[in-house]
Amino acid sequence: MTFLAPWLMLGLLALPALWWLLRAVPPAPRRQAFPALRLLEGLAARRQETRRAPVWLLLLRVLAAILLIAGLAQPVLVQHQGARPGSGSLLVVLDNGWAAATDWPQRIAALDAVLDQAGRDRRQARLVTTALASPGGADPLPASQVRAAVDAMRPTPWNTDRAHAALPAAAVGQVVYVSDGLASPGDPAGDARFAQALRRLGPVTELRAGPQALRLLLAPEPRPNRLVVHVGALPQPVPRSFTVRAEDAQGGVLARVEGHIPAGVAAGRAELVLPVELRNRIARLELDGVPGTGGLRLLDEGDRRRPVGLIGGGGFSDTPLIGPLFYLERALSPDTELRTGDVNTLLSRQLAVLVAPDGTLDDPATRARVAGWVRGGGMLVRFAGPRLASQQQEPDQDPQQVAPDAGDAPDPASPSPGAGADSLLPAPLLGGSRTLGGAMSWSHPATLAPFAPDSVFAGLAVPADVSVTRQVLARPASDLDRHSWAKLSDGTPLVTHAPLGAGQVVLFHVTATGDWSSLPFSGLFVQMLHRLMERSVGQLAQSGDAMLAPFATFDGDGVLGTPPPSAIGVSAREIGHVAASAAHPPGLYGPRSDRRALNAGDGLPPLAASPPIGTLSDLAGRVPDRPLGPWLLAAGLLLLALDLLVTLRLRGLLRPGSLRAVGAAGSAALLVLLCVAGSPAAADRVPAAAEETRLGYVLTGDAHTDLVSRQGLEGLSSYVNARTSAVLGHPDAVQPGHDDLSFYPLLYWPVTTGARPDPAAIAALNGYMSHGGILLIDTQEDAEPGDPSDPGNSTDGARALRQATGGLDIPPLAQVATGHVLAHSFYLLHAFPGRTVGAPVWVAAGADQGNDNVSPVIIGANDWAAAWAVNDAGDTPYAVIPDGDAQRTMAYRFGVNAVIYALTGNYKADQVHVPALLQRLGE
C-alpha cells in the first residue's frame, strides 16, 4: 500500500492535542425552577466543572481522526508491482483497432496498472495508438493525465496501421506495448519496421491477451438452399465453437446457428438454412459474445438470395442436349435458387428473375400477368426462337428484306401473325429470323463483338469460338445502341434490354439451345446469366467508379451512428474489397435506393498472429490499484456520527428533534458509504454461469482429458435439453480455488494419475460440497471392485482417487442400489454404464440432514464423459463397449438422472409428496 499525498499524514502528530481537547464532555444542564425575581437576589452561582469523557469515547474520537487523516492522504492498495526498467519517461503504445474490442476492459485495466506504477515513480508518460484518427504522439504528460485519457478511450471499428504510428524520435526509459496479437493485414514489412522502431526507443514490454476469444465475421457465401457463414480466428490446437444470430432490420432474431472452428485452422463455418423469403430479410449477422465490429456483419442487397423462375410449361421438356431447359438449368442451378413450373405457380411466390424460353409467353393473358409483375420490379429474361420470330411477321412485310427459311414456318398452334401485340420486348422486332452461314447463304456465322464499357457484361472475355448462325433482328431505331448490351461482330444486337415500370425486360436474340448459336455451350453463357441475376430485383444499380458517400458507420462498440469527420466516400467497385480504415469506416454507404455495406472483415487476408516484439507478458492479473481513501473517509464520518449520538446521550439532550438531526447526519454518512461501495471499481462482472444453468468440469491439465470432458458435458447438456424441461447452457471449465464454484449444480471431475490439487482447490471443493454442490468423480477405469476410498483397495483408480482427494471431506460411501433416488430421479435405471460397464457407483452412505439427504459426491469409474461426448461435427468419437449405441443411451440416461438429482435434490424420496404423486398417477 502507498499514499498519493503522504504529507497529510503529518496530521497524526496532532493526536495528543486532540486527546486533550476531546476528553471534555460538557455537563448536562441543571434544571431549576425560577421563583420571583426578588427571590433571586443574592443567589450565588456555583462554578460548574466539566465532566471527563470515558476512555472508550476518547478512543472512538481518536480513531475517527486517524481515519479522516489517512483518507485525506489518499492511500491506494497496489495490485501489481512490476519491474521498472529505465529511468526516463514511459511510452505506452496501444493497439486500438477492431480486434481490441474483444477484451477492451482488460486492456484498459492493464494500462491503468502500468500508469499507476508510473505515477508512484513520478515518471511522465505519453500515449500512442496504432489505429489512425486516434490521439497519439503528444508531449510527455504526468501519468495521471495519461491515465485519464486512456480511461476515456474506446476502440476504433477499423484495422490498425502500425506502419504509420506517430512514434517519438527520442529514446524513452520504458516502452509498454499493449498488442492485439494480430499481424497487420498484408503488411508484414510495416510490422517489422514498427518492431524495430520500438526496440530503438527503449526496452519493450509487450502485454498480450490470449487469442481464444478473437473472432471475425467474414463474407457469407450464398448457396441455393442455405447461407454459409464464415468466421475467421487465429489457429489454435483445440477446436472451438461459435454461435451466429441472423437479425432483421428491426433487430428481431430470424435464426440462430452454431458452427465450429477445427483445430489448427484459421476459419470455421456454419450453415444457415432458411426459406429464401426469410433469408432475404436478414439485415445483419452477429456473433454471440464477440463485442465490436469484428462480431457484426451488415448485409446489403448484394447478399440477398434472388429466386429465379424458369418457365417450363407449354409442352417443353428438359430433354438432354436439345431441350430448351437443359442448358438453362445447368447454367443457373449451382448458384441460384432455381424454381421450375408454369407462370401462375412461379409468380405465386417471391421471385426476382423470370426466364422464358421461346414459346412460353404466347398467351396474351399470361403476358399481361407477367408484364404486371415486371412493372412491380421483376426482371424478365427471354430467349428468341422460331415461335417468337413467326409472331413478329407482318402481312405487308417485304419478303426480300428478311428471308426466313422454310423451316421457320409458323406453327399451326401459334397465334396468327400480328395477333396480340407482344409488349414484353425491349425493342420492336423484324419479322422472321436472319440466317448467317449455311449451304444456301453466302455469309458466314457471326462472332461476338467485345462488350461495351457501359454494358452489364463489361469485363467478360469473349471466346473466339462462340458463333451465331441465326438470330431475330431488332427494328432499326436511333436509340437501339442504348438498349444493346451485347452485339455481333457486324453490329447487330445479340442482347437487348429496356425498362418496364420498376422492372426490366431482357431479350437474347438467339435460342437457349444450340440450334441458333454455340453460346449455350460456352462458359460465357453462364457468366452472362449470372451478371443478369446480380442485376435483378434489389441488386445495386451503382457500379464501376460511382462514389458512394457514407450514410451511417459503426463506432468501436458496434453501434451505427453519424460518420466521423475522417470518413470519405468509396467507389461502388471497391465495396466488399476495400479494408476498413479511418477513411472508410465500416457501415452503410450510398443513397437510400442503393445502399451498400462495408464491414470490418472485408478485404482482409486470413488472420495471423504477430511475432512478439519485446518481453511478452499476459494481460491477466494486471488490475489497477484500488483506492482506499473513500472507504476510510466514509468510515471516519460514520464514527463521527456515532460520536455525536453518544455525546447527545451523555448530555441528556437526546430528544425527538435531536434524533432527527442525528438521523440526518447518519443518513448522509451512510449515503457516502453506499456511493463508495456501489462505484464501478467495486462492481464485479457477472459471470455467464450466473445468468443460465451450466454444468462444469474440473480442468486436469491434460489436453485430451479436458477435451473429452468438454465434449462429454456438451453432449449431455444437449441430451438433457432435448428430453427434459431443464435448460442447460454450454459447460464451463473451472479451476477450484480460482473460479467461483457456487454457480454450478454439478461438477464433473475426471481423476488422472498423479493429480494433486493444491490446498486452495481442496478448500474450494469442500466449500462447494458443503453448500449443496455435487461432485461427480470419474476414475475412468474398466471396473472397480470395492469402495474406492477404502485404503485396502489397491487398484490404480483407487490409488489415484485417494491421492487426488486427499483432504476432501468425503463421507462414508455406499454402493448405489436400485432403490436410491439417483436410480429413478428421471429414468428408472438398474445399471450406470459409461464408455465401459461393470464398475459400481458410490454415493454417501446414510442420510445427510444438513444437505437435504443429497449425497455431495458421486464416484464411479465407467468413463461417462467419453460416452456422452459429441465432437464439432456432431459425431460420437469414442466407441462404447461392449453394447454400442444401446449402452451409450443408458449412459446418457444416467447423466440425465445425475443432472436432475443435482437440480431437484431428494424430491422423489420425500414422503410429503407421495399423495400428490399418487394422485397424478391416478389421473
Side-chain angles (χ1 to χ4, degrees):
M1 188 176 68
T2 186
F3 292 89
L4 300 182
W7 58 272
L8 287 176
M9 296 299 291
L10 296 176
L12 296 177
L13 299 178
L15 287 181
L18 287 174
W19 179 278
W20 182 78
L21 291 175
L22 298 178
R23 65 176 181 172
V25 176
R30 182 166 56 91
R31 295 179 179 272
Q32 183 171 348
F34 290 91
L37 293 177
R38 184 172 298 177
L39 299 179
L40 297 178
E41 293 182 7
L43 184 61
R46 292 185 303 171
R47 184 179 179 182
Q48 296 181 351
E49 296 291 339
T50 58
R51 297 173 54 189
R52 294 293 182 90
V55 176
W56 61 269
L57 183 57
L58 289 175
L59 294 177
L60 178 68
R61 292 172 175 176
V62 171
L63 180 59
I66 293 175
L67 291 176
L68 292 176
I69 294 173
L72 293 174
Q74 304 179 42
V76 293
L77 185 62
V78 179
Q79 301 290 327
H80 179 79
Q81 190 73 19
R84 302 183 179 90
S87 57
S89 63
L90 173 68
L91 174 64
V92 174
V93 183
L94 174 64
D95 281 345
N96 61 330
W98 64 264
T102 303
D103 47 17
W104 185 257
Q106 191 176 3
R107 294 172 183 273
I108 298 302
L111 277 183
D112 286 346
V114 171
L115 293 171
D116 285 343
Q117 179 176 308
R120 294 192 298 270
D121 295 342
R122 301 293 189 272
R123 300 172 65 183
Q124 289 190 322
R126 73 177 75 191
L127 174 65
V128 173
T129 55
T130 59
L132 296 182
S134 299
D139 295 332
L141 298 172
S144 59
Q145 296 185 23
V146 177
R147 189 185 193 278
V150 167
D151 291 341
M153 288 184 60
R154 299 302 303 166
T156 61
W158 47 77
N159 303 299
T160 58
D161 188 6
R162 302 187 182 98
H164 297 89
L167 297 177
V172 297
Q174 180 186 6
V175 178
V176 176
Y177 174 38
V178 184
S179 169
D180 58 16
L182 285 179
S184 295
D187 191 14
D191 281 353
R193 292 193 301 270
F194 175 75
Q196 293 176 0
L198 286 187
R199 296 190 186 103
R200 285 196 300 267
L201 292 175
V204 181
T205 299
E206 181 175 353
L207 304 181
R208 181 183 298 188
Q212 294 82 2
L214 188 62
R215 303 282 193 278
L216 176 63
L217 265 175
L218 304 176
E221 181 183 357
R223 294 291 180 86
N225 58 350
R226 63 194 184 278
L227 183 70
V228 181
V229 181
H230 296 277
V231 175
L234 290 177
Q236 294 293 306
V238 295
R240 291 154 291 169
S241 60
F242 59 86
T243 302
V244 178
R245 296 197 313 271
E247 300 179 352
D248 58 17
Q250 290 72 39
V253 178
L254 299 177
R256 188 189 302 266
V257 62
E258 291 189 1
H260 304 279
I261 304 175
V265 179
R269 54 181 287 168
E271 295 186 353
L272 188 63
V273 180
L274 279 176
V276 67
E277 291 80 4
L278 287 180
R279 197 155 75 244
N280 285 340
R281 289 176 52 194
I282 299 176
R284 61 191 286 169
L285 300 174
E286 186 169 350
L287 272 173
D288 279 352
V290 179
T293 55
L296 294 173
R297 186 166 189 91
L298 295 176
L299 302 186
D300 56 23
E301 293 300 332
D303 298 303
R304 302 288 186 265
R305 192 69 181 172
R306 292 166 184 80
V308 178
L310 185 57
I311 303 177
F316 291 87
S317 62
D318 188 16
T319 305
L321 301 180
I322 61 174
L325 307 185
F326 179 79
Y327 297 100
L328 290 173
E329 285 185 342
R330 280 150 183 79
L332 295 172
S333 58
D335 299 310
T336 59
E337 185 82 17
L338 188 61
R339 304 167 184 170
T340 305
D342 57 28
V343 172
N344 293 331
T345 302
L346 293 175
L347 296 186
S348 63
R349 297 180 60 189
Q350 183 182 9
L351 206 64
V353 181
L354 188 64
V355 182
D358 182 41
T360 56
L361 296 180
D362 292 343
D363 181 41
T366 301
R367 288 200 303 270
R369 182 173 184 187
V370 172
W373 173 80
V374 174
R375 290 188 180 93
M379 173 182 281
L380 173 65
V381 180
R382 299 187 66 177
F383 286 85
R387 300 181 66 164
L388 180 62
S390 64
Q391 292 173 12
Q392 305 303 314
Q393 180 69 40
E394 299 180 359
D396 57 351
Q397 179 78 34
D398 184 359
Q400 294 187 2
Q401 183 179 3
V402 178
D405 290 348
D408 292 341
D411 192 300
S414 64
S416 61
D422 193 342
S423 62
L424 294 178
L425 292 173
L429 301 179
L430 296 175
S433 61
R434 174 195 183 197
T435 302
L436 301 169
M440 303 300 294
S441 175
W442 292 97
S443 61
H444 298 282
T447 57
L448 274 65
F451 299 113
D454 58 347
S455 170
V456 70
F457 308 127
L460 297 181
V462 178
D465 56 348
V466 174
S467 61
V468 175
T469 58
R470 189 175 301 177
Q471 68 174 142
V472 294
L473 287 174
R475 186 173 299 171
S478 60
D479 61 346
L480 184 58
D481 285 345
R482 185 166 57 87
H483 293 282
S484 298
W485 273 341
K487 297 180 180 180
L488 298 181
S489 55
D490 60 3
T492 56
L494 177 66
V495 180
T496 55
H497 71 96
L500 180 60
Q504 201 161 52
V505 176
V506 180
L507 174 65
F508 281 76
H509 289 239
V510 294
T511 61
T513 64
D515 297 340
W516 287 18
S517 72
S518 61
L519 180 63
F521 304 148
S522 69
L524 178 63
F525 185 63
V526 178
Q527 295 175 347
M528 293 173 72
L529 289 178
H530 283 185
R531 285 288 182 91
L532 293 176
M533 301 306 111
E534 292 173 359
R535 197 179 178 86
S536 61
V537 173
Q539 176 59 11
L540 315 161
Q542 302 270 12
S543 60
D545 296 327
M547 295 301 295
L548 304 178
F551 169 73
T553 58
F554 282 121
D555 61 12
D557 297 319
V559 179
L560 276 175
T562 304
S566 61
I568 61 176
V570 59
S571 66
R573 189 189 307 276
E574 293 178 332
I575 284 286
H577 306 287
V578 63
S581 63
H584 306 306
L588 296 173
Y589 288 74
R592 181 182 298 274
S593 60
D594 187 15
R595 195 145 288 163
R596 306 288 295 270
L598 191 151
N599 294 281
D602 293 342
L604 296 183
L607 302 183
S610 61
I613 294 179
T615 304
L616 195 60
S617 180
D618 194 356
L619 283 178
R622 291 181 175 265
V623 295
D625 298 342
R626 186 184 298 275
L628 302 179
W631 291 94
L632 297 180
L633 291 174
L637 291 176
L638 282 178
L639 291 183
L640 289 180
L642 180 60
D643 173 71
L644 175 62
L645 182 65
V646 173
T647 303
L648 292 176
R649 178 68 178 87
L650 292 177
R651 297 181 61 190
L653 298 178
L654 198 57
R655 297 176 181 176
S658 301
L659 285 177
R660 286 194 295 269
V662 173
S667 300
L670 183 60
L671 180 61
V672 173
L673 183 61
L674 292 178
C675 290
V676 173
S679 63
D684 295 327
R685 186 178 179 182
V686 178
E691 299 177 351
E692 62 179 349
T693 305
R694 296 189 176 195
L695 304 180
Y697 61 93
V698 178
L699 288 174
T700 63
D702 181 77
H704 176 72
T705 302
D706 295 339
L707 175 62
V708 173
S709 298
R710 182 183 66 80
Q711 292 177 341
L713 293 192
E714 284 275 10
L716 177 60
S717 298
S718 299
Y719 196 91
V720 170
N721 293 339
R723 287 162 176 81
T724 73
S725 59
V727 179
L728 301 181
H730 297 289
D732 288 339
V734 299
Q735 294 181 346
H738 180 269
D739 298 320
D740 190 351
L741 308 181
S742 60
F743 302 108
Y744 304 98
L746 180 71
L747 284 183
Y748 178 76
W749 184 10
V751 174
T752 56
T753 303
R756 292 179 179 273
D758 54 38
I762 294 295
L765 290 174
N766 283 333
Y768 171 74
M769 291 188 295
S770 65
H771 289 85
I774 295 181
L775 192 60
L776 178 57
I777 301 177
D778 191 350
T779 59
Q780 310 170 84
E781 286 198 347
D782 293 340
E784 289 280 344
D787 187 344
S789 62
D790 184 2
N793 193 338
S794 60
T795 61
D796 293 339
R799 287 196 298 269
L801 176 65
R802 288 194 295 270
Q803 178 178 325
T805 59
L808 279 183
D809 296 333
I810 296 180
L813 301 178
Q815 186 173 336
V816 176
T818 55
H820 194 275
V821 179
L822 188 59
H824 58 83
S825 60
F826 193 84
Y827 291 105
L828 296 177
L829 301 179
H830 300 282
F832 314 100
R835 182 182 61 83
T836 59
V837 66
V841 178
W842 302 85
V843 294
D848 182 5
Q849 299 296 334
N851 199 25
D852 195 25
N853 294 340
V854 175
S855 175
V857 64
I858 303 172
I859 302 177
N862 288 326
D863 199 1
W864 289 300
W868 300 332
V870 176
N871 62 14
D872 296 335
D875 301 325
T876 51
Y878 308 106
V880 292
I881 52 178
D883 295 332
D885 290 340
Q887 181 176 327
R888 191 187 305 277
T889 300
M890 298 303 296
Y892 274 124
R893 292 183 175 182
F894 165 70
V896 172
N897 277 21
V899 171
I900 299 300
Y901 181 60
L903 294 177
T904 63
N906 218 25
Y907 170 78
K908 289 197 174 182
D910 195 342
Q911 298 300 315
V912 174
H913 302 284
V914 170
L917 294 175
L918 292 176
Q919 181 179 2
R920 172 166 292 188
L921 291 175
E923 295 175 355

